[in-house]
Amino acid sequence: MQNAIQKIKNPLTDKNIAKQLGLLEEEFDRIVDILGRIPNFTELSMFAAMWSEHCSYKNSLYWLKQLPKEGKHLLAKAGEENAGLVDIGDNLACAFKIESHNHPSAIEPYQGAATGVGGINRDIFTMGARPIAQMNSLRFGNIADKKTQWLIKGVVKGIGDYGNAFGVPTVGGEVFFDESFSTNPLVNAMSVGIVDKNKTVKAIAEGEGNPVFIVGSSTGKDGIHGAAFASKDITQNSVDDLPAVQVGDPFQEKLLLEATLEVIETGAVVGMQDMGAAGITCSTSEMSAKGNHGMIIWLDKVPLRQVDMQPFEILLSESQERMLVVVKKGREEEIKKVFEKWDLNCVQIGVVTKEPVLRYYFYDELVAEIPSDALVVGGGAPVYIREYKEAEYYAKNKSLDQFKVPDIKDTDEFEKVAQHLLAHPNIASKHWVYEQYDSMVRINNMSTNYPSDASIVNIHNTSKALAISVDCNSRYVYADPEIGTAIAVSEAARNIVCSGGIPVAITNCLNFGNPYNPEVYWQFVGAIKGMSAACKKFDTPVTGGNVSFYNQSESGPVFPTPTIGMLGILEDKKLQTSLAFQQIGDSIVLVGKVVDDIAASEYLYSYRNVKHFPAPYFNLDEEYNLHQVIKELIRNSIIKSAHDISDGGLFTTLCESAFPNKLGFEVNKPVDIRTDAFYFGEAQGRVVVSVNKDKLEALKQICQKLNIPYLILGKVIEKSIIIDEKEYGNIDKWLHIYNSTFNKYLD
């Protein structure tokens, strides 16, 4: 290698240049050891991108390996492929994944969010799966701030425009607001696809002499150093990194999807990978390392849309809608014909070599030479265990005496609290958001006219459906990272169970501040521990996902947000259960423990203005047992609706169950519990169900058999809301409050 590299004319580098590219001093030394020489600028740029936090997971990998990754439904383990792959029966598999596009969205919200949607969908169809549904999880600052309004409008429009044009429905998600996200919003996108489990494609390069093609769009200068940009804090100078934000074209991606699925059918594809972070560098190195092969790449053959691009720019460009495809030798023309049909680039830029070394040429000059595994996770990429210590605020959180917080004193204050919560942007209807998304394209969405806690997606030509949920309450995780993350997993599972499904696996998007901050890293470690415990309990292994550190500005880190995307299976579509009350006269029953608890609730945080608190009441064993009760109630056709109690507490749950069919409710609380805790507390492990009086006894027997407490709250009535014998108007009044918030701030 030493003699070959002398042909490279790129200037050599030093530790100062390495530092400017985001590498640590010891990492530069490690690169010199790997290469046996000083790297040139092109090579150093490649290492900087691939060893960035965004690509290498260098500060998280040790802990990620602690997560459960084994499960009876899994067809691919975490990190093995572009996305998780789960056997769903009927010879079908589901590919699914969630990833972040936080930093780009903070600087250029429209393109940042749009390209996040494009990238996650490419991860799905590079495996041979057709995307059938999308979800997202969004975090913003104060909705009253003009900047927040600009960000949310740009992000929502970016997601909507890209997803709608691409032709995949957005079937659900969540939106959360807190001051901690004012500078650094979080934009997490999830995609789900279906594939014949015998026709999946691996992200691998193997077979000496097999040609390597770049397909899709031409390469430009957009997105260069995007991975490095995502691996540092947001500052007032981050706008200078705007060229690092990619530009997407959903119509081009639609063509690429169809061409990709068609070319897979030829049987000529050896391996395929999306060009996401670090572009050609990432796909060539990861595919080669996985196959224990190498490549020769001719960069001057890459189709360009800008003139005078340098080798390092071609290698690191994150231009969208591109793939790297390894093809069986002798079948090149078959591949070319497919992409020509779809009017897409399909150019051979290299060849697979037996020697596990990557060699990149530019007009016959060797510009970089690196061992295949030197750049990648599990190979040469470094792994660190950072210092962590309990956050100073945590002791204060645990010291809260909830009983010193004044209870609601009378019916007037009750109504004031109820209106405050239903109008709060964390609880109010998100129709302003989801109405900008096409939720019905391809007629997969089964939740539009029959709303349920999870999104239900039809699997055509089978009796089954998918149940998908995205969940995380950032405030709970801030209160207690371990418990808060276990709650996120539990709520995702609870939503799937309440909808009639069985949870099978998760993907995660772990959004935290700077990992070199010991208190931030403590939050991250706690989140991993909580996720691990809950996933083991529910038998929902982790199939992969994304870590997004450096979500931090001069004002501090964001609330820790380990977003959970969970996949469930409805074994029979007839099991689909709505959250909506169905019939006047039905009994309303609270299944689960009644707890005197207001910790971490929206009521405590935004109405009482208490900013330090423990996580809400949570018991993992009780949660698991509750799920078994709800499953049995649904499978025995005992209940008509099921809706979990979460943000906003019982009152919000009752309203959300009443709104779809414009029915009312009459309920009463036990005398020995605080009013605020009963109606607005967010203790976990509780579900509100409605049941015909004729089946009430059967419900009681199942709850008693599985040792789960229950409380008959009252009944479904025509249109009024009656609480503790006091009437608070009809359902239309409360529905108007619930529906008005987003229009007030964003129209």
Side-chain angles (χ1 to χ4, degrees):
M1 188 182 297
Q2 183 68 43
N3 292 332
I5 209 67
Q6 290 175 357
K7 298 177 182 178
I8 298 177
K9 293 183 179 180
N10 288 20
L12 296 182
T13 54
D14 59 24
K15 291 183 179 180
N16 288 329
I17 295 176
K19 184 177 180 181
Q20 292 173 27
L21 291 172
L23 290 162
L24 302 176
E25 184 173 323
E26 60 265 33
E27 290 172 346
F28 181 84
D29 294 336
R30 182 171 181 156
I31 293 166
V32 172
D33 288 341
I34 288 171
L35 297 180
R37 56 178 170 78
I38 301 292
N40 65 34
F41 180 76
T42 297
E43 293 167 326
L44 195 63
S45 296
M46 295 168 70
F47 274 102
M50 291 299 293
W51 287 10
S52 68
E53 189 70 49
H54 190 70
C55 292
S56 74
Y57 299 98
K58 60 188 176 185
N59 288 314
S60 59
L61 189 62
Y62 171 82
W63 291 103
L64 295 177
K65 288 184 175 181
Q66 315 302 314
L67 293 170
K69 299 179 179 67
E70 303 286 343
K72 60 183 178 180
H73 295 278
L74 295 194
L75 297 174
K77 292 183 180 180
E80 284 187 345
E81 300 298 341
N82 287 322
L85 195 65
V86 172
D87 190 335
I88 57 174
D90 296 314
N91 213 38
L92 295 174
C94 178
F96 73 115
K97 189 180 183 182
I98 189 169
E99 281 198 342
S100 65
H101 234 223
N102 302 335
H103 282 58
S105 300
I107 304 300
E108 212 300 303
Y110 180 83
Q111 288 293 352
T115 51
V117 171
I120 197 65
N121 278 312
R122 284 195 302 281
D123 280 338
I124 300 305
F125 67 77
T126 51
M127 297 183 68
R130 179 177 290 277
I132 62 169
Q134 300 172 150
M135 299 186 80
N136 54 69
S137 174
L138 311 176
R139 300 287 188 280
F140 300 98
N142 188 334
I143 196 172
D145 292 345
K146 293 299 181 185
K147 182 183 176 183
T148 295
Q149 293 168 14
W150 172 73
L151 285 169
I152 189 173
K153 287 178 180 179
V155 165
V156 170
K157 184 169 175 57
I159 292 171
D161 284 0
Y162 202 104
N164 296 351
F166 182 57
V168 176
T170 300
V171 298
E174 58 175 4
V175 187
F176 185 91
F177 295 85
D178 185 82
E179 292 283 2
S180 72
F181 303 105
S182 293
T183 300
N184 211 134
L186 303 183
V187 178
N188 296 175
M190 180 175 172
S191 181
V192 177
I194 297 293
V195 60
D196 183 321
K197 71 177 185 180
N198 298 312
K199 294 183 179 180
T200 58
V201 175
K202 294 182 177 294
I204 194 170
E206 57 186 357
E208 183 180 9
N210 280 335
V212 179
F213 283 81
I214 189 169
V215 302
S217 294
S218 297
T219 297
K221 294 187 178 183
D222 50 318
I224 294 172
H225 291 304
F229 170 51
S231 303
K232 56 185 177 182
D233 295 350
I234 293 289
T235 69
Q236 59 185 355
N237 297 320
S238 291
V239 71
D240 297 338
D241 290 321
L242 195 58
V245 178
Q246 308 93 328
V247 178
D249 182 346
F251 300 103
Q252 191 84 339
E253 176 130 327
K254 176 64 174 173
L255 298 178
L256 185 59
L257 162 67
E258 300 302 338
T260 299
L261 297 183
E262 185 173 331
V263 85
I264 290 169
E265 288 293 328
T266 68
V269 174
V270 174
M272 182 184 302
Q273 183 164 324
D274 164 44
M275 286 187 190
I280 292 173
T281 298
C282 182
S283 50
T284 54
S285 60
E286 290 185 347
M287 292 178 74
S288 296
K290 185 172 183 179
N292 195 30
H293 279 62
M295 288 183 187
I296 293 173
I297 300 292
W298 304 293
L299 297 174
D300 51 286
K301 294 187 178 182
V302 174
L304 303 178
R305 63 168 178 259
Q306 289 175 268
V307 297
D308 299 327
M309 287 186 68
Q310 298 299 307
F312 84 92
E313 293 175 315
I314 299 171
L315 281 162
L316 295 180
S317 168
E318 295 180 13
S319 293
Q320 299 291 284
E321 293 87 40
R322 301 178 303 154
M323 318 269 261
L324 195 74
V325 186
V326 176
V327 177
K328 293 176 182 177
K329 188 176 181 180
R331 303 188 66 178
E332 295 88 342
E333 292 306 313
E334 294 177 62
I335 301 295
K336 291 178 181 178
K337 284 181 181 178
V338 172
F339 284 97
E340 182 179 336
K341 168 188 169 183
W342 292 98
D343 196 25
L344 294 169
N345 290 322
C346 180
V347 179
Q348 184 178 347
I349 63 167
V351 64
V352 177
T353 61
K354 186 176 182 180
E355 183 185 9
V357 176
L358 299 165
R359 294 186 175 95
Y360 302 90
Y361 290 86
F362 191 60
Y363 294 106
D364 297 325
E365 293 182 4
L366 184 64
V367 294
E369 185 175 40
I370 302 173
S372 301
D373 68 349
L375 295 166
V376 304
V377 177
V383 177
Y384 304 113
I385 305 174
R386 295 297 174 197
E387 174 193 358
Y388 60 95
K389 66 175 183 178
E390 183 181 291
E392 288 187 11
Y393 71 78
Y394 185 60
K396 192 172 182 180
N397 281 4
K398 292 190 295 183
S399 68
L400 173 72
D401 184 349
Q402 299 184 48
F403 292 97
K404 290 185 177 178
V405 178
D407 194 2
I408 294 169
K409 60 180 181 295
D410 53 33
T411 57
D412 288 343
E413 188 176 20
F414 181 94
E415 184 160 8
K416 183 179 177 183
V417 172
Q419 290 187 8
H420 167 83
L421 290 176
L422 272 195
H424 195 284
N426 285 344
I427 294 171
S429 169
K430 310 303 187 294
H431 71 277
W432 182 92
V433 175
Y434 59 70
E435 284 178 357
Q436 298 186 52
Y437 305 150
D438 189 337
S439 63
M440 290 303 294
V441 63
R442 303 188 68 85
I443 323 175
N444 290 326
N445 190 352
M446 294 173 60
S447 302
T448 302
N449 299 317
Y450 197 67
S452 51
D453 278 5
S455 297
I456 307 301
V457 182
N458 191 20
I459 306 175
H460 295 286
N461 303 316
T462 76
S463 61
K464 296 177 180 175
L466 300 179
I468 319 166
S469 185
V470 173
D471 281 289
C472 182
N473 187 309
S474 305
R475 189 170 56 250
Y476 297 172
V477 185
Y478 170 78
D480 188 308
E482 190 166 342
I483 294 176
T485 307
I487 288 174
V489 175
S490 300
E491 184 176 356
R494 195 188 318 139
N495 285 334
I496 287 171
V497 167
C498 286
S499 304
I502 296 174
V504 294
I506 76 161
T507 177
N508 58 51
C509 195
L510 310 180
N511 308 272
F512 291 84
N514 191 315
Y516 294 90
N517 178 334
E519 294 190 356
V520 166
Y521 206 71
W522 169 80
Q523 293 174 331
F524 172 74
V525 172
I528 294 294
K529 291 177 179 178
M531 188 186 310
S532 184
C535 285
K536 288 176 182 176
K537 188 70 177 179
F538 298 116
D539 193 19
T540 53
V542 180
T543 63
N546 172 225
V547 177
S548 176
F549 280 135
Y550 301 97
N551 294 291
Q552 186 158 336
S553 63
E554 289 94 336
S555 59
V558 299
F559 271 1
T561 307
T563 306
I564 304 298
M566 184 172 284
L567 177 71
I569 300 174
L570 252 73
E571 298 161 311
D572 189 327
K573 293 168 191 173
K574 295 177 183 177
L575 295 173
Q576 182 180 1
T577 305
S578 177
L579 59 80
F581 294 147
Q582 300 295 316
Q583 185 175 331
I584 293 171
D586 284 349
S587 295
I588 301 171
V589 181
L590 170 64
V591 181
K593 184 182 290 187
V594 175
V595 184
D596 231 338
D597 182 78
I598 57 173
S601 63
E602 190 65 61
Y603 159 76
L604 183 69
Y605 189 73
S606 64
Y607 183 81
R608 292 298 183 193
N609 203 32
V610 175
K611 303 303 183 186
H612 289 279
F613 37 76
Y617 175 85
F618 173 72
N619 181 291
L620 187 56
D621 291 330
E622 291 175 4
E623 183 79 46
Y624 177 83
N625 292 336
L626 170 73
H627 295 194
Q628 309 321 305
V629 166
I630 300 300
K631 286 178 188 176
E632 191 160 340
L633 291 173
I634 290 173
R635 278 150 185 75
N636 286 285
S637 302
I638 292 171
I639 58 177
K640 292 184 177 179
S641 70
H643 189 19
D644 80 316
I645 298 177
S646 56
D647 301 357
L650 173 62
F651 178 78
T652 296
T653 299
L654 291 167
C655 287
E656 289 175 346
S657 292
F659 289 156
N661 294 325
K662 289 196 172 183
L663 296 172
F665 55 86
E666 181 176 1
V667 298
N668 292 281
K669 81 171 184 67
V671 295
D672 57 346
I673 186 171
R674 291 171 56 120
T675 299
D676 57 3
F678 188 71
Y679 288 110
F680 306 118
E682 297 177 15
Q684 300 296 294
R686 300 179 298 155
V687 173
V688 169
V689 303
S690 62
V691 55
N692 187 285
K693 290 181 179 178
D694 293 343
K695 295 190 175 182
L696 194 55
E697 189 58 38
L699 179 146
K700 293 178 181 178
Q701 290 177 4
I702 289 174
C703 290
Q704 290 166 357
K705 179 180 72 173
L706 295 173
N707 198 30
I708 288 293
Y710 64 90
L711 175 67
I712 299 173
L713 295 171
K715 62 184 178 181
V716 179
I717 59 177
E718 190 167 351
K719 291 204 71 166
S720 299
I721 289 182
I722 301 174
I723 295 173
D724 297 330
E725 301 181 353
K726 162 72 175 176
E727 184 170 346
Y728 289 90
N730 67 27
I731 201 70
D732 293 327
K733 163 189 168 181
W734 294 94
L735 184 57
H736 176 74
I737 294 170
Y738 185 69
N739 282 336
S740 298
T741 297
F742 277 70
N743 288 342
K744 172 184 174 183
Y745 288 107
L746 298 172
D747 276 355

